[in-house]
Amino acid sequence: MTARHSGPQKPTEDRTKAAATREAKGSVQEAIGKLIGDDAVRRRGTAEKEAGAADASDIPESSRP
């Protein structure tokens, strides 16, 4: 499980890139889980992908590069 912390905020560009990377890694993990038939891996990948999308939605559109 991934924990969020409320440390200092990164610049918007770094946060956007990190959110996109997290979402992509989650998608890959989800696909691997589907291929090998492992429901736990698939659920973890889905959760990570959704967390990356949620992180991206926390960044205002006007601040995105």
Side-chain angles (χ1 to χ4, degrees):
M1 192 169 359
T2 308
R4 285 187 170 185
H5 62 84
S6 58
Q9 293 292 319
K10 293 181 180 180
T12 304
E13 187 175 322
D14 290 344
R15 290 180 59 214
T16 302
K17 185 176 179 180
T21 300
R22 186 175 186 184
E23 192 171 354
K25 286 181 178 180
S27 293
V28 170
Q29 188 173 12
E30 181 181 33
I32 290 170
K34 286 179 182 178
L35 286 172
I36 64 173
D38 189 337
D39 290 338
V41 172
R42 185 177 49 82
R43 283 192 303 269
R44 239 185 342 264
T46 301
E48 191 71 24
K49 183 172 69 171
E50 291 171 355
D55 286 349
S57 68
D58 289 346
I59 303 168
E61 288 287 332
S62 61
S63 298
R64 293 184 189 179

